């Protein structure tokens, strides 16, 4: 009895002991979340919280962190097998191969579920009615590297479920997805999630840029590589250009690129692609230094490519009366403080995640567990306890029905 109930008792104790030890959301620099914002969890999300939280956590890992978690899980499995085998060596190698095979299969299932499974999303709630939640970087199937079936309305649904009021559709050197989304915007921005036009282009060949304020009428202003060409945009104002991550050429962001094409005004601090999150973990200090020295506004982008159901970060801006305006007017007001180089115009709110890199990657799995369990709400803790003891009960029933088990 002690052997069989020891694990659920320990798990329950840990679940209760870590209550409130971590926050589900943070400020852009890892501190406390700004006042007036909170993470809202739909009832369906809470009901399957062990699954929801696990898939969210996997989605928020960088590439190196995902590898580190898999290696850590493999080492734990090997240690567990060694402890169970004891002095016995008969058929041990085959048992190990089966166990490692199961681990690989489970990992593949979890990764596939994180990318493709339809599921409820955690969303950001704001108490200030003048606050607008913005995504500056997203895609549709019009981009060459996005899931083809991911339409503009799919993009809108993803952002609505994630708690966004406005999302800029920035396909690669194309405007068809943005045009389709813009055509079905609500008449008033406060009546639903609005999609606004943007485009992802290039600067110095390898630097990605997000240009707000351009639409399908401005195709001639971009060459085949996505470089911005001289000319007057149809909106009557120059583009609002953001330096996107991941970026291997940050040294090209200079005063010259601010005063001439492509007129940079902002820098992505958070890009939710795995490589973007990895660059944030490694080079946050450098990104902050560049933004400070050049007076660039720091922003976040989902870089959504039609996969996953997790938001890594939200941009919160204060725009009085935005709910009664048409979406295009709200878009111009969103761009205005960026163009005026007001670094404090955007507040970034991030989902809590491990920030391990380099040698600290070895600690990714325990930090991940701490982040997940420490940030659960009390409703979620109750659900987790139900799942733990429900699994224990089912396991006990199955053991009683197994004739071989009764002789052990």
């Amino acid at each position: 009895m002690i052997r069989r109930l020891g694990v659920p008792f320990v798990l329950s104790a840990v679940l209760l002991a870590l209550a409130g030890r971590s926050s589900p959301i943070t400020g852009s620099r890892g501190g406390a979340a700004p006042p007036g914002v909170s993470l809202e969890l739909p009832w369906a999300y809470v009901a399957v919280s062990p699954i929801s939280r696990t898939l969210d956590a996997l989605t928020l890992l960088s590439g190196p962190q995902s590898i580190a978690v898999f290696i850590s899980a493999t080492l734990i499995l090997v240690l567990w097998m060694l402890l169970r085998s004891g002095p016995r060596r008969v058929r041990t190698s085959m048992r190990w191969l089966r166990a490692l095979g199961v681990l690989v299969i489970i990992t593949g299932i979890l990764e596939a579920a994180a990318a493709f499974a339809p599921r409820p999303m955690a969303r950001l709630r704001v108490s200030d009615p003048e606050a607008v939640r913005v995504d500056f970087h997203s895609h549709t199937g019009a981009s060459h590297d996005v899931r083809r079936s991911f339409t503009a309305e799919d993009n809108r649904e993803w952002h609505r479920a994630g708690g966004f009021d406005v999302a800029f559709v920035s396909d690669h050197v194309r405007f068809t997805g943005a045009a389709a989304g813009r055509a079905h915007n609500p008449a008033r921005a406060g009546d639903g999630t609005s999609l606004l036009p943007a485009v992802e282009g290039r600067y110095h060949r390898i630097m990605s840029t997000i240009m707000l304020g351009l639409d399908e009428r401005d195709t001639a202003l971009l060459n085949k590589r996505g470089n911005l060409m001289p000319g007057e945009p149809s909106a009557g104002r120059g583009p609002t250009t953001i330096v996107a991550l991941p970026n291997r050429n940050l040294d090209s962001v200079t005063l010259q690129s601010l005063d001439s094409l492509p007129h940079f005004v902002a820098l992505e601090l958070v890009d939710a692609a795995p490589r973007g999150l990895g660059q944030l973990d490694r080079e946050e200090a450098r990104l902050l230094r560049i933004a400070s020295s050049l007076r660039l506004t720091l922003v976040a982008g989902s870089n959504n490519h039609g996969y996953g159901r997790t938001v890594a970060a939200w941009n919160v801006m204060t725009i009085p009366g935005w709910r009664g305006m048409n979406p295009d007017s709200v878009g111009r007001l969103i761009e205005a403080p960026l163009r005026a180089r007001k670094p404090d115009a955007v507040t970034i709110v991030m989902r809590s995640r491990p920030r391990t890199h380099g040698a600290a990657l070895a600690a990714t799995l325990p930090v991940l567990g701490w982040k997940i369990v420490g940030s659960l709400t009390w409703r979620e803790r109750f659900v987790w306890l139900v799942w733990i003891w429900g699994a224990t009960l089912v396991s006990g029933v199955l053991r009683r029905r197994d004739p071989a088990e009764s002789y052990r």
Side-chain angles (χ1 to χ4, degrees), residues 41 49 52 118-119 160 168 204 212 216 241 258 261 273 285 348 368 372 375 408:
L41 305 178
S49 178
S52 301
R119 55 190 177 88
R160 180 200 59 76
F168 287 88
H204 281 189
L212 317 181
E216 62 273 17
T241 307
L258 273 58
L261 293 177
I348 299 175
L368 184 65
I372 293 175
S375 64
R408 295 183 181 179

Side-chain angles (χ1 to χ4, degrees), residues 31 57 86 132 139-140 150 155 162-163 181 198 218 257 266 282 291 318 333 338 348 406:
V132 55
H139 295 274
T140 70
F150 192 65
N155 180 298
D218 299 312
S257 62
R282 296 188 312 272
T318 301
L333 292 176
L338 275 63
I348 299 175
S406 61

Side-chain angles (χ1 to χ4, degrees), residues 258-292:
L258 273 58
D259 297 330
S260 59
L261 293 177
H263 299 287
F264 290 129
V265 298
L267 170 65
E268 270 192 343
L269 178 66
V270 184
D271 181 286
R275 289 195 299 143
L277 293 174
Q279 185 163 13
L280 167 66
D281 295 338
R282 296 188 312 272
E283 301 186 57
E284 181 181 16
R286 185 186 181 194
L287 293 169
L288 295 174
R289 186 169 60 251
I290 291 173
S292 177

